[in-house]
Amino acid sequence: MDYRKEFVVEPGSKVDLASIDPSYSGRHPSHEDAAPEIRNRLERIAKLQYLLYADAEQSLLVVLQALDAAGKDGVVRHLFSGLNPQGTSVYCFKQPSQLELGHDFLWRAHLRAPSKGELVIFNRSHYEDVLVVRVHDLAPESVWSKRYDIINDFERMLALGGTRILKLYLHISPEEQLQRFKQRLDDPQRHWKISESDYSERDLWPKYVEAYEAALALTSTKRAPWYVIPANHKWFRDLAVSQIVADTMDEMGLHLPATRVDLAKIRRKYHAAERQE
Ligand code: AMP
Ligand code: MG
């Protein structure tokens, strides 16, 4: 199954999240059944990241967006389990600081965008400025409505500079979210994750859906596509994400850079003694 084809938001198309089943799990009946495939994809990602870093010509930006408890942190942990910390980073976008609010909304995103050779994950992103900002009227419509085009231009600029961009929306149901909140409540290790606003935001679910549908439809482009990942099953979410990331990296034509030195000369000069021994 090609999950990129299956879950991509075709540029220019409308998005109806209600028509996408968040409990979808493809042809795999269980986590156990999917586990070897997940492992295999993670290994491929690790190999490709090595090439990305070594070559230092391109970079990869993975944007993660979702409502609370949909699994953004889980995806980060899962993807990073196969990655070398060197050359990779994750940045969590919180409420903007005074300094950040003093700049244009893309300033803090641009600052954290990957440099050549890097793989960066945005846990939340510049998209918050057309999501939470729109839902909570943190800026007037005349301001946020112009941001979709601005985001497309920004991502186009990054892409032309050698950054491959893929954007993942983790799609869960309100029932699954409530169940995950309850699990947090029952697990002292995770009490720190609970905030009352997580619950109050649930009342705004339809407004968030509306804002997400607009963002996905208006900013899914050939260069920076959105994928809607059914995420009620954590293992299926991990399977789909690892496949989409691995396939995207496969397509980047990553390779080891050419050797910059004369290997024969180095062997002769510095290793001749070894050979004699
Ligand atoms: P969490 O991801 O649970 O740590 O929460 C981070 C919070 O910061 C979320 O409620 C986001 O909606 C909020 N946030 C992130 N970016 C922005 C932004 N640009 N404006 C307002 N709130 C934001
Ligand atoms: Mg939260």
Side-chain angles (χ1 to χ4, degrees):
M1 197 58 79
D2 183 344
Y3 293 131
R4 283 199 306 174
K5 271 209 184 110
E6 209 173 339
F7 299 144
V8 72
V9 175
E10 288 297 342
S13 71
K14 282 196 125 190
V15 178
D16 174 22
L17 289 174
S19 70
I20 302 171
D21 178 10
S23 293
Y24 179 81
S25 63
R27 63 186 166 80
H28 292 284
S30 66
H31 183 193
E32 214 181 6
D33 186 69
E37 210 173 309
I38 297 176
R39 231 179 357 259
N40 175 286
R41 298 290 183 277
L42 285 179
E43 280 166 18
R44 217 163 88 219
I45 291 170
K47 285 196 187 112
L48 290 164
Q49 188 240 322
Y50 182 78
L51 299 181
L52 179 74
Y53 184 69
D55 195 31
E57 282 294 332
Q58 303 181 67
S59 57
L60 177 66
L61 174 61
V62 179
V63 171
L64 277 180
Q65 282 291 159
L67 294 170
D68 288 302
K72 295 187 294 297
D73 295 349
V75 165
V76 169
R77 208 167 44 239
H78 172 253
L79 275 180
F80 267 74
S81 67
L83 295 176
N84 186 341
Q86 189 146 275
T88 58
S89 67
V90 53
Y91 188 75
C92 299
F93 287 80
K94 307 278 182 189
Q95 285 179 3
S97 67
Q98 276 312 108
L99 175 68
E100 288 169 342
L101 283 172
H103 289 267
D104 67 274
F105 78 101
L106 288 175
W107 183 71
R108 63 178 187 161
H110 200 176
L111 208 58
R112 273 87 190 201
S115 62
K116 291 192 189 308
E118 276 185 333
L119 187 163
V120 170
I121 301 181
F122 280 0
N123 185 339
R124 299 189 192 268
S125 64
H126 45 296
Y127 282 93
E128 291 293 324
D129 293 277
V130 290
L131 294 166
V132 67
V133 167
R134 171 173 168 162
V135 168
H136 283 277
D137 288 322
L138 301 178
E141 180 168 355
S142 59
V143 169
W144 59 251
S145 63
K146 295 190 181 77
R147 288 181 172 166
Y148 302 100
D149 285 343
I150 297 172
I151 288 174
N152 286 337
D153 286 345
F154 169 62
E155 293 179 354
R156 180 165 174 271
M157 176 198 56
L158 294 184
L160 291 174
T163 300
R164 191 67 187 236
I165 305 170
L166 61 98
K167 303 179 291 199
L168 307 171
Y169 169 67
L170 309 180
H171 181 46
I172 60 162
S173 61
E175 298 77 23
E176 176 66 19
Q177 187 196 50
L178 190 62
Q179 203 180 327
R180 291 186 187 182
F181 285 171
K182 177 73 175 40
Q183 284 164 358
R184 286 180 181 178
L185 216 49
D186 295 338
D187 177 3
Q189 289 296 315
R190 288 192 289 167
H191 282 173
W192 67 273
K193 277 197 160 195
I194 301 168
S195 76
E196 201 164 340
S197 75
D198 286 351
Y199 288 89
S200 54
E201 289 293 276
R202 281 174 61 76
D203 298 336
L204 297 169
W205 194 283
K207 288 190 85 177
Y208 270 108
V209 167
E210 196 180 34
Y212 266 106
E213 286 177 344
L216 296 170
L218 294 171
T219 64
S220 195
T221 58
K222 210 161 169 289
R223 283 198 184 85
W226 273 108
Y227 298 92
V228 177
I229 312 291
N232 272 5
H233 295 292
K234 293 176 181 175
W235 63 266
F236 182 74
R237 170 202 79 196
D238 289 344
L239 174 69
V241 168
S242 58
Q243 194 202 83
I244 289 169
V245 173
D247 287 355
T248 301
M249 292 180 84
D250 258 341
E251 247 181 34
M252 290 170 71
L254 300 167
H255 51 77
L256 289 174
T259 314
R260 278 165 302 175
V261 293
D262 182 341
L263 296 177
K265 192 173 148 205
I266 286 191
R267 277 211 182 87
R268 267 196 316 275
K269 197 168 167 192
Y270 299 105
H271 296 275
E274 252 170 62
R275 230 181 299 145
Q276 275 167 12
E277 273 169 21

